């Protein structure tokens, strides 16, 4: 279950909640009971939009010529 970070605009506290992705947009209540919270950007990278460790082959050859096996 993904974790989402929220910040309370009443007391300025930040807290995390583990909730289903379908409820990520639902309002969260701060641990102190304040309902005025905002959802922060997730600190956990779920999608693979970052840099991958291995470069993708540009020739379309899948499974070979990527690790020097065809050298
Ligand atoms: Zn609060």
């Amino acid at each position: 279950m993904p974790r989402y970070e929220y910040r309370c605009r009443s007391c300025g506290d930040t807290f995390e909640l583990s909730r289903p992705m379908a409820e990520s947009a639902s309002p969260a209540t701060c641990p102190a009971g304040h309902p005025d919270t905002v959802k922060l950007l997730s600190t956990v990278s779920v999608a693979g939009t970052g840099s991958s460790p291995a470069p993708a082959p540009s020739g379309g050859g899948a499974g070979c010529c990527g690790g020097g096996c065809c050298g």
Side-chain angles (χ1 to χ4, degrees):
M1 193 175 296
R3 297 173 67 89
Y4 297 97
E5 192 172 10
Y6 298 85
R7 190 174 74 88
C8 177
R9 289 195 288 187
S10 294
C11 64
D13 191 16
T14 56
F15 58 97
E16 289 184 346
L17 286 180
S18 295
R19 49 170 38 181
M21 197 173 293
E23 299 181 12
S24 65
S26 300
T29 305
C30 122
H34 304 130
D36 192 6
T37 59
V38 289
K39 180 175 175 292
L40 302 178
L41 292 177
S42 177
T43 56
V44 181
S45 60
V46 182
T49 55
S51 61
S52 57
S58 59
C64 197
C65 298
C69 61
C70 291

